[in-house]
Amino acid sequence: MQTIVDAASTDAAVILITRTYDAPRALVWTALTDPTHVAAWYGGEGFSSPVCEMDVRPGGLWRHVMRAPNGMEFGIDSVFTEVVPPERLVWTSAAKDRPAGGPPVAVNTVTLEDLGGTTRWTLEARFESLADRDLSVRMGFGHMVSQGAERLAAHLQSM
């Protein structure tokens, strides 16, 4: 199944990414919210996750460290703002401790739609400005999420 990335809006500072998984919604929800599972698939091809701590509740923190194939590590700190199992998960990239020149802050909303044995996953990443959205596109946001979506599809088959 193909992952579709849309970052072409000229009025909204959003990137929309959709994919349908051959797995029931409850299983996809578990893969998105259990740190053991998230550490297994999160990030681009060849990346690993030496740290994945998630407190999945409104106000809960998500601390994640991704390790690139070249050994460089990237920390991501986020705060969950909405948790509606197994349908909707919203988190904000935390601006605290963000290095200058790092990826822009975004509000990320994942919606899981039950299609009767398969699940449509939609990620909306909403940025503060079109310039921030476009910078994220240039930094490879859509490409990395697409690779993560591929890794999630493979991981779901092993659950």
Side-chain angles (χ1 to χ4, degrees):
M1 294 185 194
Q2 182 181 15
T3 303
I4 299 169
V5 179
D6 179 4
S9 174
T10 57
D11 336 292
V14 298
I15 298 174
L16 289 172
I17 303 174
T18 58
R19 182 182 174 109
T20 300
Y21 290 103
D22 189 20
R25 182 167 65 174
L27 191 64
V28 177
W29 177 263
T30 298
L32 294 174
T33 58
D34 181 321
T36 302
H37 291 294
V38 174
W41 63 264
Y42 196 86
E45 192 170 319
F47 278 71
S48 61
S49 298
V51 176
C52 183
E53 300 166 352
M54 303 174 84
D55 181 8
V56 185
R57 61 180 174 84
L61 302 178
W62 177 8
R63 181 168 181 263
H64 200 114
V65 176
M66 292 189 305
R67 183 175 297 142
N70 67 4
M72 288 187 64
E73 292 189 348
F74 307 90
I76 304 167
D77 291 322
S78 302
V79 176
F80 292 103
T81 56
E82 186 178 346
V83 178
V84 183
E87 302 172 15
R88 186 174 162 90
L89 188 62
V90 182
W91 68 95
T92 301
S93 306
K96 179 182 159 208
D97 299 330
R98 184 167 296 278
V105 172
V107 175
N108 301 283
T109 302
V110 164
T111 305
L112 301 177
E113 183 180 352
D114 183 357
L115 302 177
T118 62
T119 304
R120 180 177 297 128
W121 169 86
T122 302
L123 169 66
E124 177 190 277
R126 182 168 293 276
F127 297 88
E128 294 176 356
S129 68
L130 288 171
D132 282 356
R133 189 270 318 264
D134 294 345
L135 175 61
S136 289
V137 169
R138 288 192 303 275
M139 294 177 85
F141 179 87
H143 182 66
M144 286 288 286
V145 172
S146 293
Q147 287 185 351
E150 292 296 324
R151 294 179 69 189
L152 174 56
H155 184 72
L156 285 166
Q157 297 306 309
S158 70
M159 291 176 64

